[in-house]
Amino acid sequence: MSLTLRLSLLLAVLMGGAFLALLSQASESESRLDGFFSWLLTANIFVVGAMAVLAVLVIVRAVRRVRNKVFGSRLMIRLALAFAVMGIVPVVLVSLASVQFLARSD
């Protein structure tokens, strides 16, 4: 991965974390950041879009490597898919459990 792509991804993650922290403070009942809530929400959506674009760029690079038959590229894709599944499955399970909890709390 190129240095530019790495730095862009790092910057997007850091900005996303900072914006999420500010957004959580702005959503409190008595907050000084109430006036900035819509701006923070828009900034978070922008950061998510930037991270999606960066992810697509990484996927395109991986596909190019497979097409060029670069040594280890298929293994790299398999490992990336395994890590993605290991990250997505717990998030989906926790989300489903919390939705069920909220639905039954009425």
Side-chain angles (χ1 to χ4, degrees):
M1 194 173 353
S2 69
L3 181 63
T4 305
L5 192 57
R6 287 181 189 176
L7 291 176
S8 300
L9 188 58
L10 179 65
L11 180 66
V13 168
L14 291 176
M15 284 177 47
F19 286 150
L20 281 176
L22 288 172
L23 189 63
S24 68
Q25 285 183 350
S27 62
E28 292 176 1
S29 59
E30 299 284 331
S31 176
R32 297 175 292 157
L33 300 173
D34 284 340
F36 299 107
F37 186 79
S38 61
W39 182 85
L40 287 170
L41 187 62
T42 305
N44 277 313
I45 291 170
F46 175 74
V47 169
V48 167
M51 291 176 85
V53 168
L54 290 172
V56 167
L57 289 174
V58 170
I59 291 170
V60 167
R61 287 182 60 139
V63 169
R64 277 192 203 143
R65 287 183 176 195
V66 170
R67 286 186 183 162
N68 292 337
K69 297 182 180 181
V70 175
F71 180 73
S73 60
R74 293 180 69 200
L75 178 62
M76 181 185 64
I77 288 179
R78 287 181 188 157
L79 287 172
L81 286 174
F83 281 118
V85 168
M86 284 190 281
I88 291 171
V89 170
V91 168
V92 169
L93 290 176
V94 169
S95 298
L96 291 175
S98 61
V99 165
Q100 290 296 321
F101 177 74
L102 290 173
R104 292 183 185 180
S105 67
D106 289 338

